[in-house]
């Protein structure tokens, strides 16, 4: 299968931090070929960075079927799908310049962690993936998301002995028996959150319900999301930021709290828990600092502070080994 080209310079898109920094959980990296395989929009993709462009392949898709597009003659524009997913309509160089002028810490982080993009994800997948993320780590979250897909999604294609599935439609997750099934699959208390939230969304209009949230003001959309079973402020902010175009949303976890307390809000240092008041204060501080794209800007700071990434001699972001243990005194 031949590669197709997308006009995108390496400095405008850094695949490692963008695809494995905790936004999406359906991308895998082949370190030998430096190729990424992932799934979105019921389509299986392969991506690879070249010197002056992004190379991509469509390994399989459910979007080519007539019943999905309404016409035998209408073909899916996969290039536009990919451009939209990667938010290539935003000039990242200008955004980095603006954020660097506002914050010296960002200026330092931005020079090393270039090309980190905020993915434009599908709300249904985004929401249920982040329900799985509660009190969890990335490898287990990824495993849970794949279980949702293999048990409730549609088969897209088989590639290199791996069968790839789409993320399930929300109607597949609302049936009461889904909770028991998911508990048997190891989802724990998240099983109830998934089934109950799916049932609520179907009752409120299904996937189209999310369209209304995109047209709301950020705080109103967040409040609506928190009416769902098991959705707290952090998960609501993740959904607002990553799939509802509310780029000022800023999910605050203990890691984000540490960045804020250490570098911006010293009076918050030493706190054991992030209270609701602290959560709001941290988010508002970065919204004041960075403006209406504070969530995207802070994602770069978040990636730069992760132990998972480090700067190599060739100015590329690489996965690093486990941190060294401190010597006993």
């Amino acid at each position: 299968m031949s590669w197709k080209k997308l006009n995108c310079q390496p400095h405008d898109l850094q695949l490692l931090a963008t695809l494995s920094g905790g936004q999406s959980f359906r991308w895998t990296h082949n370190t030998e070929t430096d190729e990424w395989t992932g799934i979105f929009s019921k389509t299986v993709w392969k991506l690879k960075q070249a010197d002056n462009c992004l190379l991509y392949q469509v390994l399989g898709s459910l979007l080519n079927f007539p019943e999905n597009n309404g016409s035998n003659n209408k073909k899916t524009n996969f290039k536009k799908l990919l451009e939209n997913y990667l938010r290539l309509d935003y000039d990242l160089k200008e955004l980095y310049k603006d954020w660097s002028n506002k914050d010296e810490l960002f200026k330092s982080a931005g020079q090393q962690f270039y090309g980190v993009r905020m993915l434009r994800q599908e709300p249904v997948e985004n929401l249920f993936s982040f329900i799985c993320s509660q009190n969890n780590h990335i490898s287990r979250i990824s495993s849970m998301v794949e279980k949702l897909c293999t048990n409730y999604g549609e088969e897209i294609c088989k590639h290199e002995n791996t069968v790839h599935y789409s993320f399930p439609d929300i109607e597949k997750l609302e049936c009461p028996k889904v909770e028991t099934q998911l508990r048997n699959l190891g989802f724990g208390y998240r099983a109830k959150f998934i089934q109950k939230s799916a049932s609520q969304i179907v009752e409120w209009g299904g996937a189209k319900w999310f369209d209304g949230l995109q047209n709301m003001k950020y705080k109103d959309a967040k409040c609506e999301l928190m009416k769902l079973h098991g959705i707290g402020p952090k998960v609501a902010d993740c959904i607002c930021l990553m799939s509802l175009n509310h780029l000022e949303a800023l999910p605050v976890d203990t890691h984000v709290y540490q960045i804020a307390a250490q570098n911006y809000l010293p009076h918050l240092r030493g706190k054991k828990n992030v209270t609701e008041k602290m959560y709001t204060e941290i988010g508002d501080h970065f919204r004041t600092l960075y403006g209406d794209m504070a969530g995207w800007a802070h994602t770069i700071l978040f990636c730069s502070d992760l132990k998972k990434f480090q700067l190599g001699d060739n100015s590329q972001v690489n996965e690093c080994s486990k941190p060294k243990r401190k010597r006993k005194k």
Side-chain angles (χ1 to χ4, degrees):
M1 185 180 294
S2 61
W3 292 92
K4 295 184 178 180
K5 294 182 180 180
L6 190 63
N7 185 22
C8 182
Q9 299 294 323
H11 216 78
D12 291 327
L13 171 63
Q14 197 261 102
L15 291 177
L16 181 61
T18 299
L19 299 182
S20 67
Q23 294 188 57
S24 174
F25 306 100
R26 300 209 72 193
W27 289 95
T28 57
H29 186 210
N30 185 326
T31 55
E32 293 183 2
T33 61
D34 198 23
E35 296 173 357
W36 294 83
T37 302
I39 304 168
F40 68 88
S41 293
K42 298 182 183 292
T43 302
V44 184
W45 306 79
K46 185 172 282 189
L47 306 181
K48 186 175 183 178
Q49 193 75 62
D51 291 338
N52 60 355
C53 67
L54 178 69
L55 300 175
Y56 72 95
Q57 293 178 357
V58 174
L59 303 180
S61 178
L62 298 177
L63 301 182
N64 290 322
F65 291 127
E67 61 264 32
N68 287 333
N69 55 40
S71 171
N72 287 318
N73 298 320
K74 185 178 179 181
K75 293 183 179 180
T76 301
N77 190 328
F78 290 107
K79 180 181 178 182
K80 283 190 175 181
L81 269 181
L82 184 56
E83 289 174 337
N84 180 66
Y85 180 73
L86 296 172
R87 293 188 190 266
L88 296 184
D89 49 328
Y90 285 88
D91 187 337
L92 200 54
K93 184 182 294 184
E94 286 301 313
L95 291 177
Y96 267 62
K97 181 180 179 181
D98 178 48
W99 296 330
S100 295
N101 289 336
K102 294 175 178 177
D103 182 15
E104 283 297 320
L105 183 62
F106 182 93
K107 185 176 182 180
S108 174
Q111 290 173 351
Q112 299 178 355
F113 288 81
Y114 57 85
V116 180
R117 289 192 171 269
M118 181 58 57
L119 300 174
R120 186 184 274 120
Q121 300 184 61
E122 295 165 301
V124 172
E125 177 176 341
N126 189 214
L127 185 147
F128 290 103
S129 294
F130 275 86
I131 287 179
C132 294
S133 76
Q134 297 181 49
N135 298 312
N136 223 338
H137 53 80
I138 287 182
S139 61
R140 190 158 179 259
I141 301 165
S142 299
S143 175
M144 286 183 171
V145 171
E146 287 308 311
K147 287 178 182 179
L148 284 177
C149 297
T150 55
N151 285 277
Y152 301 99
E154 297 178 77
E155 181 178 333
I156 301 174
C157 67
K158 185 176 182 180
H159 179 73
E160 295 179 349
N161 297 319
T162 299
V163 180
H164 297 283
Y165 295 86
S166 66
F167 196 88
D169 295 330
I170 200 164
E171 290 76 11
K172 297 286 184 67
L173 300 174
E174 70 153 336
C175 181
K177 66 180 181 181
V178 167
E179 179 183 344
T180 301
Q181 293 170 345
L182 291 179
R183 285 187 181 277
N184 291 335
L185 289 170
F187 281 70
Y189 65 87
R190 304 170 193 85
K192 183 177 182 179
F193 293 171
I194 291 170
Q195 187 277 321
K196 294 293 186 184
S197 292
S199 180
Q200 287 176 281
I201 295 171
V202 169
E203 182 182 347
W204 297 340
K208 291 184 178 180
W209 176 69
F210 290 102
D211 296 338
L213 300 186
Q214 293 191 47
N215 296 325
M216 290 181 182
K217 292 182 178 179
Y218 153 59
K219 290 187 177 180
D220 292 336
K222 180 178 177 179
C223 286
E224 289 299 307
L225 285 165
M226 289 175 64
K227 293 178 182 179
L228 292 171
H229 200 89
I231 301 294
K234 178 194 165 188
V235 172
D237 271 329
C238 288
I239 300 159
C240 282
L241 173 64
M242 299 175 190
S243 60
L244 297 180
N245 275 331
H246 296 299
L247 298 176
E248 69 270 46
L250 201 143
V252 179
D253 59 6
T254 54
H255 193 83
V256 173
Y257 155 72
Q258 289 168 0
I259 294 173
Q262 186 66 33
N263 300 285
Y264 301 94
L265 302 168
H267 63 281
L268 296 182
R269 293 176 186 171
K271 306 296 183 182
K272 292 183 178 180
N273 299 301
V274 177
T275 65
E276 183 179 347
K277 182 179 179 181
M278 289 166 57
Y279 188 106
T280 302
E281 182 180 358
I282 292 170
D284 286 346
H285 174 81
F286 286 111
R287 279 185 281 273
T288 301
L289 179 60
Y290 293 127
D292 59 4
M293 290 190 182
W296 191 338
H298 197 271
T299 297
I300 286 88
L301 291 184
F302 181 85
C303 287
S304 71
D305 206 50
L306 286 179
K307 292 179 180 179
K308 180 178 181 179
F309 303 120
Q310 68 176 4
L311 187 69
D313 295 334
N314 58 353
S315 297
Q316 297 291 323
V317 181
N318 301 308
E319 291 188 333
C320 57
S321 57
K322 294 181 180 179
K324 297 179 180 179
R325 294 181 178 179
K326 294 182 180 179
R327 294 179 180 178
K328 293 182 180 181
K329 294 181 180 180

